[in-house]
Amino acid sequence: MIFIGFGFLMTFLQRYGFSSVGFNFLIAAFALQWATLMQGFFHGLHGGKIHIGVESMINADFCTGSVLISFGAVLGKTSPVQLLIMAMFEVTLFAVNEFILLSILGTRDAGGSMTIHTFGAYFGLMVTRVLYRPNLDKSKHKNCSVYHSDLFAMIGTIYLWMFWPSFNSAITAHGDDQHRTALNTYYSLAACTLSTYGMSALTAHDGKLDMVHIQNAALAGGVAAGTAGEMMLTPFGSMIVGFLAGIISVLGFKYLSPILEEKLKIQDTCGVHNLHGMPGVLGAIVGAVTAALASVDVYGGGLEDVFPDVASGDVTATKQGGIQAASLAVTLGIALLGGLIVGFILKLPIFGAPPDTICFEDSIYWEVPGEEEHHDGQLTAVRTEESEKLNS
């Protein structure tokens, strides 16, 4: 999911395929190691040493997923150095947010609707807002797909879709909880795919399907089932959640993204707000409502696995629902504030961001076969612009 799913999902840009897969590979390899340390400092310290194992590796994977979501928001407009700096800060803030939610507040968020998707999306959106490029329309002709690039992006979509049930259920308690999470996610994804196809055709003036909607919105059901996946959401409930997530996501791509760019100056390349932001918030709300309705009658002996504090009598189910809702607010606060600060750090000229005229272009950072002359021209343009900045 991390290397193929996210990597290929971002290859939709016609001239940015090398960078989409390559920088995804680079950031993921770095973030996995840094997350193992950061999460270890907060969760895994035993006698001054960090204990690592399969679970800590999966948790580091989750953290990396959050970073790659933010990468989607700034795709095509940042240098590899900027991306690595962003990953370093975001992993640290992710670990802090995760510690506050899971260890201090006692929040339940097995599939990470809040900790992974909401955090990654709103962190990335705030970074891309601070890095706003007023002259990005000079690269507008490259900020689009071609036939084969959309086909490559569908590889990422199919990989993510297939593995999302195991992603959400990876660290839940073995047995009923894990089976329930996988089932809920599966049915949510299936219903979401149907609503995505329906809404995509309905919102098009000629009734044709939009590949952008299919690539992204069809995955929103997995995001929305993240928090409540291990709870008694029931297959019927999870299908309703997935159906709603698909509708919200398609409407976001069609109507909300242009408004965010025009009014709020948020240039969200991959539309992470529609795939991870809004469905993540929906998942958090569903989780809060489902938690508030938890009881021994519904869960039986399994209540202790899903809501240990409720089972022990330390908190009531209603209070647990309130904790879940408060956790969403905490996550949004840390993500937005963290993104604001990191965005200003990334604005420093030393990190070599590409100029507005050649964003969404591989040949700045990669040897592109058969394009040596074009590549030399691009480098000359970059050097000229950099020297003008230094002289001024």
Side-chain angles (χ1 to χ4, degrees):
M1 284 184 79
I2 296 299
F3 293 99
I4 298 179
F6 280 109
F8 277 90
L9 184 64
M10 297 182 204
T11 58
F12 68 94
L13 291 170
Q14 55 175 332
R15 305 261 320 152
Y16 209 66
F18 283 14
S19 302
S20 297
V21 178
F23 293 161
N24 185 90
F25 198 7
L26 171 69
I27 299 163
F30 169 70
L32 285 167
Q33 299 171 70
W34 187 234
T36 303
L37 285 176
M38 284 294 108
Q39 290 174 316
F41 290 141
F42 286 105
H43 303 288
L45 272 180
H46 300 278
K49 292 197 175 359
I50 295 172
H51 283 204
I52 60 169
V54 173
E55 193 168 322
S56 71
M57 288 166 69
I58 292 169
N59 278 319
D61 242 11
F62 283 0
C63 181
T64 303
S66 192
V67 175
L68 296 179
I69 291 164
S70 301
F71 172 41
V74 298
L75 186 72
K77 303 169 293 188
T78 39
S79 69
V81 178
Q82 281 179 305
L83 293 170
L84 286 169
I85 299 292
M86 183 182 84
M88 184 180 74
F89 282 108
E90 186 172 357
V91 166
T92 309
L93 289 167
F94 178 97
V96 171
N97 182 57
E98 189 181 50
F99 178 73
I100 292 169
L101 262 60
L102 306 187
S103 300
I104 297 175
L105 295 177
T107 313
R108 305 300 294 177
D109 192 22
S113 286
M114 289 183 281
T115 52
I116 302 168
H117 301 287
T118 304
F119 181 85
Y122 287 99
F123 183 93
L125 288 169
M126 185 54 93
V127 169
T128 197
R129 172 62 189 89
V130 175
L131 298 179
Y132 174 69
R133 291 169 173 268
N135 299 315
L136 194 63
D137 56 342
K138 291 178 181 176
S139 297
K140 191 167 63 176
H141 59 288
K142 293 175 191 163
N143 186 13
C144 57
S145 63
V146 289
Y147 190 84
H148 68 268
S149 69
D150 268 337
L151 199 57
F152 267 110
M154 272 306 288
I155 294 172
T157 301
I158 300 298
Y159 257 85
L160 289 168
W161 202 99
M162 288 188 335
F163 289 107
W164 216 295
S166 59
F167 179 85
N168 278 357
S169 60
I171 55 165
T172 49
H174 291 196
D176 287 353
D177 300 34
Q178 202 160 48
H179 299 158
R180 187 164 58 236
T181 312
L183 282 167
N184 285 336
T185 308
Y186 181 77
Y187 287 119
S188 181
L189 281 165
C192 177
T193 303
L194 290 182
S195 67
T196 297
Y197 273 83
M199 285 304 294
S200 184
L202 283 171
T203 53
H205 65 277
D206 52 3
K208 290 182 179 178
L209 298 169
D210 188 336
M211 203 55 161
V212 173
H213 300 159
I214 310 307
Q215 286 162 4
N216 294 281
L219 299 168
V223 177
T227 300
E230 66 174 338
M231 303 174 195
M232 286 290 189
L233 190 57
T234 74
F236 176 66
S238 56
M239 287 170 86
I240 292 172
V241 171
F243 198 83
L244 288 172
I247 292 170
I248 290 168
S249 189
V250 172
L251 292 175
F253 275 104
K254 185 73 179 176
Y255 302 110
L256 189 57
S257 286
I259 294 170
L260 289 180
E261 184 160 350
E262 191 183 331
K263 305 291 184 193
L264 298 181
K265 297 182 170 57
I266 294 172
Q267 297 161 327
D268 180 5
T269 310
C270 285
V272 298
H273 186 240
N274 311 309
L275 171 53
H276 301 278
M278 291 189 295
V281 172
L282 173 66
I285 294 166
V286 170
V289 173
T290 315
L293 299 172
S295 68
V296 179
D297 295 339
V298 177
Y299 289 82
L303 186 65
E304 196 173 339
D305 284 337
V306 185
F307 298 112
D309 292 342
V310 176
S312 65
D314 291 343
V315 297
T316 61
T318 311
K319 189 178 178 186
Q320 181 67 41
I323 290 169
Q324 299 287 134
S327 301
L328 174 62
V330 171
T331 300
L332 285 169
I334 294 174
L336 293 170
L337 185 61
L340 183 72
I341 295 165
V342 173
F344 279 110
I345 293 170
L346 298 183
K347 263 195 136 171
L348 296 172
I350 57 169
F351 298 129
D356 291 355
T357 48
I358 45 173
C359 288
F360 314 112
E361 175 60 59
D362 269 340
S363 58
I364 317 171
Y365 302 111
W366 299 86
E367 291 288 350
V368 180
E371 293 194 7
E372 281 78 8
E373 291 175 20
H374 178 67
H375 176 63
D376 291 340
Q378 296 281 20
L379 277 180
T380 308
V382 174
R383 282 176 185 144
T384 307
E385 186 143 333
E386 288 300 319
S387 60
E388 282 172 4
K389 277 183 188 173
L390 288 170
N391 291 335
S392 61

